Structures are given as C-alpha cells and as structure tokens.
Amino acid sequence: GTLQDNSTLLQFKFFYILKLDYESKRKRKVAEIQHALNSSPVDVAALRRMAISEGGLLTDEIRSKVWPKLLNVNTDDLPPKPGPELRENNKDYQQVLLDVQRSLRRFPPRMPDAEREVLQEQLIDSILVVLKRNPQLHYYQGYHDIVVTFLLVVGERMATALVEKLSTHHLRDFMDPTMDNTKHILNYLMPIIESVNPELHDFMQRAEVGTIFALSWLITWFGHVLSDFRHVVRLYDFFLACHPLMPIYFAAVIVLYREHQVLESECDMASVHHLLSQIPQDLPYETLISRAGDLFVQFPPSELSKEAIQQENTAVSTFKDFELVSAQQRPDAVLRRRLREQPQRERRSNITAARTGTRRLMKLAVMGLTVALGAAAFAVANGALEWAAKFELQLFP
Amino acid sequence: MASAPLPLGPPPRCRILKMIVIGDSGVGKTCLTFRFCAGKFPNKTEATIGVDFREKTVEIDGEKIKIQLWDTAGQERFRKSMVQHYYRNVHAVVFVYDITNMATFQSLPAWIEECKQHSLGGEIPRILVGNKCDLKDATQVRTDLAQKFADTHSMPLFETSAKNPGDNDHVEAIFMTLAHKLKNHKPMMLSQPLLDENKVQLDPEPSPGVECYC
Ligand SMILES: Nc1nc2c(ncn2[C@@H]2O[C@H](COP(=O)(O)OP(=O)(O)OP(=O)(O)O)[C@@H](O)[C@H]2O)c(=O)[nH]1
Ligand SMILES: [Mg+2]
C-alpha cells in the first residue's frame, strides 16, 4: 500500500512541478508579449519570436493584438463595412457563396446556427471586399478557409484588413490567374524530403504520388484539413511570423514524420495519396514546428530552387521561373551566407549536432532559429530594399 | 526472376478500375462519389481542393474488383496545371453536370476538350451524369437536350440524384454499369505485382496500367 501511495505522491509532485513550470513559463511569455506590444515603436522582432516559439501567441485575445503587428497593418484605418451593391454583378460571388455555404466544419461545433449564419455572411463580404479592391488577385477554392480563420479570431473588419495584406504578400502566388506558381512552390516539397530522407523520397517517386495531396495544406495553411481550431491558429502564428515558403517546409515535416506509415503502404499512387491526404489529427505540433524551422534554415529555398525547377514536368517559361526564384531567394541567400560565415567553433558544434540528430537534419538552438526565421520573415514583409540592413540588425542586436 | 516472398503469402489479386470524375464546381461530384463508396448522401461536404480519392471493392461475375474514384476540384484554375497528373492511367471518365444549372451543362465541351488533351478521348468509356434530379422543379437542362449532346459524343446519359436517387437510377447502378462494361473492355491493372511472364500472359495488349507496377 505505502509503496504505491508513495509513487502516486511522487507522480503527483512531478506533474505539479511540470504544471507550475508550464504556468510560470506561460505567464512570463504573456508578460514579454505585452512588453513588446507596449514598446515604442512596437518590438515586432520580439513578437515574431513569440509567435514562432513554443505555444505561439497563446490566446486569441493576444492574437488579435499581435497579428496586425506581424502584418504591419494599421488598425486605426480599417476598410468600411460594404453595402449590398458589393454582391451585384460580382464575378466571384457565386463561387464564394458555394464554398462558404459548404464551410460548416470551420465553425465551432456548438455555435448556434443563427450566429454561424451571420459569420458566414461576413465571410462572404470580407472575401469579396479584398477581391474587389485588388483586381489583380484571383479567388481560389480554399481561400475561404484562410479568411474564416481570421474572421473567427479578429472579427470582420480587421479580418478584411489583415487578409488583404496577407493576400498581397504570403498568398500572392496562389492568387495569380493560373496556378503555375502554386505548382512551382509545391515542387519544393520533394527536394526538401529528399534532403532529409532519400529513402522516403525514392519510395514516393516510385509510387508517382505527385504533390497534390499537399495542395490544400499549402494554399489554406492547413485550415482546410485540421479539425481543431486551436491547432490551426497555432500554425497561423508560426506562418505569419515566417517566410512565405514555410508552409511547404511544414508539409514536408509532416510527410517525414509519417515515414514509417508511408514506407509500409503499397507503393502506388492511390495508396500513398490516400494515406498522406488523411492528415492525423494528433500531430505533435510544437515539435513539428521547430523541425520545420530547422529544415528551413538548413535547406533554405535558394538551395532547393534548382531541384524544384527540375521537378517541373510542364514547360513553364524559364524566364518566369527565374523571376520567381530570384524573388523568393533574397533573404535566404543572406541567411546561408551568414551560416557559412559562422565562426568555426560554432559550426563544428553544428556538425556534431547533425551527426547525432535525426538523419541529416540538424537541430538549431531555439533562439538562433527564431531569430533567423524572424529575420527572413521580416525581410519579406518589408520589401526588397530594406531587408538587408534590418536582417543584420536583428541577427546581431 | 522471382518476386520476394511476402510474409503472409500473396494476397488474392484484385483488378483495379480507375475512374476520374469531372465537371464544374458544385455539380455534386463529391456527393456522387461519396454516395457510391459510402452508400449515403454526405451531410456536410466541402469544396474539393485538388483531388480526393475514394474507393470501393465490388464483385462482378464472382470477381473482386476495386473501383477507384478520383474526385477532382471543379474550379477552373485547378484544371490546367494541377489535376493533370491524375489523368494518367485512367480507365473511364465520368462527366457530371447539374440539371438545375445550365452553365454547368454548357461547360461540358470544355471538359471533354480537357480530357482529349490528356489523350482520354472516345477510345475509353465515358459517361455523362446529370445530377440533382430530386430538384425537378428547378430543372434547367431538359433530358432531350442532354440526350442529344450525349449522342453526339457517343456517351450514355444517366440522370440521377446523389441525394435521392430514383429506383431506376441508383448511383450505384451507374458506376456498376461502367464497371461491367470495363471488365470486358480492356485489361485493367492489377493491384499486386506479378511475375513478368505472368503479366505478359494476362495482359497481352499494352495496358495503361502497366507502368504502375512497382
Ligand atoms: N438537392 C441536391 N443537392 C445536391 C445533390 N448533390 C449534391 N448536392 C449539393 O450540391 C452542393 C455541391 O455538392 P458537391 O458534391 O460538394 O459538389 P462538387 O461537384 O464536388 O464541387 P467542387 O468540389 O467545388 O468541385 C452541396 O451543397 C450538396 O449538398 C443532389 O443530388 N441533390
Ligand atoms: Mg467536390
């Protein structure tokens, strides 16, 4: 009896300490976020680190304060609520309506119908406003899965403003007249997998599975496939703070995580496509997020872009590819140079880490990682001219 | 040359029939394929992004056959560069329109053209399905018009409803008709790898599935 009691007590103490630890960490993080928000000017670099590091931005209340900062959106100047004329003669209305009507799963299961219906109307308006104000952007099925996430966290008018910014930056490639650039981004998936796990890569190539299983992951930032809203917003924290190609790294990390399942399935297109497109709902998100970050730093897009082009089996004009690649690689080229210039001592320890780590994936220190990723994201969000100087500043404050 | 022995002995060979389901967004492709594979109308569907895959094993003349349905996205932007990969090795095409929406019927020539570009023309079985027949009062595409179109393209026409199929037009019956037709039509690929010699014996003509052995 006593022995068992003792061990129960020990266990209890253990969990109690864990919980205390968790609570105090969380409190500290909330305080740090508040501090960054109250600084003048707002400490965006710190907010990025918070959004990337364990737990992300913690609550929707914090998110609605921090997301606008991450996207550099002025919340005092929100677009007005549209009138009914928005929907008249609108080329996108029918498709948006059809998709929003079928988006019931995106709303909290216990939400009353009436409340959900109001939100669905707002969702339609938000989408149409952004499209109307930006005629260069084209609606795609799945865009509504992104917008609904913002709507549920920050409300209609702010959602419209945030999504507008996002659409002209992170989602820009998906909203071209054609999906050629989206396909190009999907072409990064296999080279990333190959860099870490050639055996898995070869298996998938032999199965000719293609990459469409990851299409909805990429263009909805996983909003279309994850049923727990908490996981969706946690990922959005991460993606908002990172380089626009991060979702494809995260997709690769999920595939790599399921290595054994994939290798055990039959080696044909249908089996592998089916397996991979059913995403498990109990993924260890925090671990996968930090792995995706590691992968990004270790195999930056610029290093993979050549292979990504070789994946292309249709003839997309080389010129266009060149343009796209050069636009995407700017921050990463610097990142890589920075890594190369690392002091010898640091590099050697990285190499040791790589040997002991999983396969060819090395693990970076969390701080280094978040600083590097934050910098890459910052660079992208602020346009080509400014980024270089800012990057240096952030890495060596 | 011998294949490596499987630990549990080779499972029974099962022929696979791959069908692709295409048509405009909202015509009910997801509902139809779900109805066939799961036997009921889904209570919630979502927009299909890219390609979804469903399958069902059926028995035809005592032989087990696996019917694979590739349910594609209807929005035009997904057609061109995205879905193309999944047109490969297809044994049959199911074109779907919505009888309550004329525009979805008028898109059919574009879908047929799309298939031709992937070399899926008249040489493989194709069928035309007019969906949402339960909404008779809202009919925009009359049967005689659809029948004429189907005749010009030498496809059989089925009108049905994924929601409330009538007695004669069960969704199940439609797919099964196609499966019967295919069973005797062309060699289908096998789900289990075979010895090369056997493959030659069983599949004398080059079949579209051959390159998928692995
Ligand atoms: N009344 C009725 N409604 C149907 C029927 N089949 C589908 N629907 C409805 O039509 C809408 C679209 O159905 P889906 O199966 O999602 O359409 P889809 O062709 O897969 O559309 P995409 O995935 O966008 O290409 C849904 O709201 C369904 O409930 C039917 O037979 N009768
Ligand atoms: Mg569908």
Side-chain angles (χ1 to χ4, degrees):
Chain A
T2 13
L3 224 145
Q4 207 182 348
D5 287 351
N6 264 340
S7 81
T8 322
L9 189 68
L10 259 174
Q11 242 177 25
F12 177 77
K13 274 190 180 159
F14 178 69
F15 284 117
Y16 186 69
I17 289 166
L18 270 188
K19 186 156 181 279
L20 269 186
D21 186 45
Y22 173 79
E23 287 294 328
S24 70
K25 258 194 193 163
R26 190 186 160 91
K27 272 205 189 115
R28 205 179 328 132
K29 190 165 188 181
V30 173
E32 278 178 80
I33 293 172
Q34 282 309 339
H35 181 75
L37 277 170
N38 294 334
S39 309
S40 175
V42 171
D43 188 350
V44 178
L47 294 177
R48 281 189 195 289
R49 283 199 295 275
M50 301 295 145
I52 295 170
S53 65
E54 192 177 348
L57 295 172
L58 306 171
T59 69
D60 284 358
E61 198 191 328
I62 297 178
R63 289 187 174 99
S64 58
K65 292 195 193 110
V66 176
W67 283 2
K69 305 292 176 216
L70 293 181
L71 285 167
N72 196 13
V73 166
N74 179 2
T75 50
D76 298 331
D77 182 26
L78 297 176
K81 187 152 174 48
E85 72 285 349
L86 176 68
R87 300 187 184 190
E88 285 159 21
N89 294 322
N90 189 309
K91 67 174 168 41
D92 297 305
Y93 177 57
Q94 282 308 323
Q95 184 72 60
V96 172
L97 177 68
L98 187 59
D99 295 342
V100 170
Q101 278 172 341
R102 291 181 290 174
S103 66
L104 304 183
R105 286 213 192 100
R106 300 284 86 82
F107 295 89
R110 266 177 288 278
M111 179 181 276
D113 286 356
E115 193 181 337
R116 193 203 60 233
E117 280 155 21
V118 171
L119 286 166
Q120 282 180 299
E121 290 301 316
Q122 296 179 352
L123 178 55
I124 294 174
D125 281 343
S126 262
I127 294 172
L128 293 179
V129 166
V130 175
L131 293 172
K132 185 126 200 179
R133 285 162 56 120
N134 301 273
Q136 80 282 14
L137 300 179
H138 298 262
Y139 177 76
Y140 60 88
Q141 289 186 293
Y143 186 69
H144 67 296
D145 290 311
I146 294 216
V147 182
V148 75
T149 310
F150 284 88
L151 179 67
L152 292 173
V153 174
V154 303
E156 181 182 4
R157 287 182 63 204
M158 204 192 306
T160 308
L162 297 189
V163 166
E164 181 167 28
K165 190 63 172 277
L166 196 70
S167 305
T168 48
H169 289 81
H170 293 64
L171 309 179
R172 183 66 192 81
D173 284 324
F174 311 145
M175 305 192 77
D176 274 350
T178 71
M179 300 209 81
D180 290 344
N181 279 345
T182 305
K183 200 175 160 207
H184 181 90
I185 294 173
L186 276 174
N187 283 340
Y188 279 81
L189 184 67
M190 294 309 285
I192 301 173
I193 293 172
E194 186 178 22
S195 305
V196 181
N197 189 336
E199 187 195 351
L200 182 62
H201 169 267
D202 293 349
F203 183 90
M204 290 172 69
Q205 292 290 25
R206 254 184 296 133
E208 300 188 308
V209 62
T211 49
I212 300 300
F213 66 85
L215 174 65
S216 71
W217 306 357
L218 176 69
I219 66 179
T220 72
W221 281 9
F222 296 83
H224 188 75
V225 287
L226 299 182
S227 48
D228 191 330
F229 192 67
R230 287 169 305 178
H231 298 152
V232 177
V233 288
R234 169 64 186 104
L235 283 181
Y236 276 44
D237 293 341
F238 178 51
F239 295 147
L240 282 170
C242 287
H243 188 280
L245 285 177
M246 187 55 85
I248 201 70
Y249 283 80
F250 195 79
V253 161
I254 292 186
V255 176
L256 288 162
Y257 175 75
R258 303 183 70 195
E259 166 188 359
H260 297 294
Q261 277 175 304
V262 176
L263 291 178
E264 273 163 27
S265 75
E266 273 187 58
C267 185
D268 63 68
M269 188 204 243
S271 309
V272 182
H273 177 96
H274 188 59
L275 174 76
L276 286 174
S277 52
Q278 311 302 110
I279 217 166
Q281 295 295 324
D282 56 349
L283 294 168
Y285 290 91
E286 296 300 333
T287 313
L288 297 186
I289 283 172
S290 79
R291 261 188 223 168
D294 288 340
L295 267 183
F296 185 93
V297 176
Q298 199 181 346
F299 307 106
S302 53
E303 223 155 78
L304 299 167
S305 55
K306 228 175 79 199
E307 288 166 77
I309 289 169
Q310 281 163 3
Q311 297 266 321
E312 210 101 4
N313 38 26
T314 54
V316 180
S317 88
T318 11
F319 175 65
K320 209 154 136 223
D321 269 336
F322 174 72
E323 253 185 348
L324 181 75
V325 169
S326 58
Q328 283 166 348
Q329 72 183 3
R330 273 182 225 114
D332 323 313
V334 171
L335 237 170
R336 215 178 44 184
R337 193 171 350 117
R338 192 42 81 202
L339 282 175
R340 245 188 252 129
E341 289 164 7
Q342 266 175 2
Q344 276 298 320
R345 179 169 38 90
E346 222 177 289
R347 276 182 87 186
R348 224 172 293 129
S349 75
N350 276 344
I351 291 164
T352 330
R355 281 215 197 94
T356 51
T358 53
R359 309 248 172 176
R360 294 161 63 188
L361 174 58
M362 78 178 169
K363 184 108 188 66
L364 285 172
V366 176
M367 258 328 262
L369 175 67
T370 55
V371 170
L373 291 179
F378 199 82
V380 172
N382 285 272
L385 287 174
E386 260 183 298
W387 65 268
K390 294 242 168 70
F391 182 83
E392 302 289 338
L393 269 178
Q394 286 194 42
L395 205 55
F396 304 102
Chain B
M1 180 196 128
S3 56
L6 292 166
L8 300 170
R13 278 182 217 119
C14 174
R15 290 208 282 174
I16 291 180
L17 230 169
K18 179 172 171 183
M19 301 181 191
I20 189 163
V21 183
I22 58 183
D24 278 4
S25 179
V27 296
K29 299 177 296 296
T30 300
C31 291
L32 281 168
T33 53
F34 190 90
R35 172 108 211 175
F36 175 68
C37 294
K40 58 176 197 248
F41 186 71
N43 50 7
K44 287 177 198 166
T45 57
E46 288 191 76
T48 306
I49 299 173
V51 194
D52 275 341
F53 166 83
R54 291 184 187 85
E55 70 180 3
K56 180 177 179 171
T57 306
V58 298
E59 214 175 283
I60 299 177
D61 307 332
E63 183 188 349
K64 276 204 163 52
I65 290 186
K66 209 186 260 180
I67 299 183
Q68 290 185 346
L69 298 178
W70 293 81
D71 169 24
T72 62
Q75 199 192 4
E76 177 156 7
R77 59 193 290 107
F78 290 103
R79 289 180 207 173
K80 295 280 177 302
S81 50
M82 283 297 160
V83 173
Q84 168 194 78
H85 184 76
Y86 300 88
Y87 278 87
R88 276 200 267 167
N89 310 325
V90 159
H91 299 106
V93 185
V94 180
F95 295 96
V96 187
Y97 67 94
D98 172 356
I99 67 149
T100 70
N101 184 338
M102 183 52 98
T104 66
F105 180 73
Q106 284 162 344
S107 303
L108 288 170
W111 283 112
I112 291 173
E113 190 48 40
E114 181 83 10
C115 271
K116 283 210 185 105
Q117 277 169 18
H118 296 102
S119 36
L120 299 177
E123 65 289 349
I124 66 160
R126 302 174 303 165
I127 61 167
L128 184 59
V129 176
N131 188 35
K132 306 200 189 177
C133 271
D134 55 299
L135 304 173
K136 275 273 184 292
D137 295 343
T139 306
Q140 282 187 8
V141 185
R142 285 178 33 200
T143 308
D144 52 350
L145 182 65
Q147 189 61 59
K148 222 170 113 194
F149 181 84
D151 290 345
T152 347
H153 292 274
S154 28
M155 294 188 259
L157 168 73
F158 299 88
E159 289 186 330
T160 190
S161 157
K163 199 171 185 179
N164 292 314
D167 284 342
N168 302 321
D169 293 316
H170 277 305
V171 176
E172 164 119 11
I174 295 172
F175 286 103
M176 287 305 281
T177 310
L178 200 50
H180 272 281
K181 201 166 160 188
L182 273 163
K183 185 174 180 279
N184 307 316
H185 180 85
K186 241 190 179 181
M188 287 177 276
M189 86 185 237
L190 295 143
S191 69
Q192 291 306 317
L194 286 176
L195 299 182
D196 268 9
E197 304 84 68
N198 288 355
K199 190 170 80 190
V200 173
Q201 275 170 18
L202 288 172
D203 283 352
E205 310 163 40
S207 85
V210 167
E211 63 189 78
C212 259
Y213 289 88
C214 57

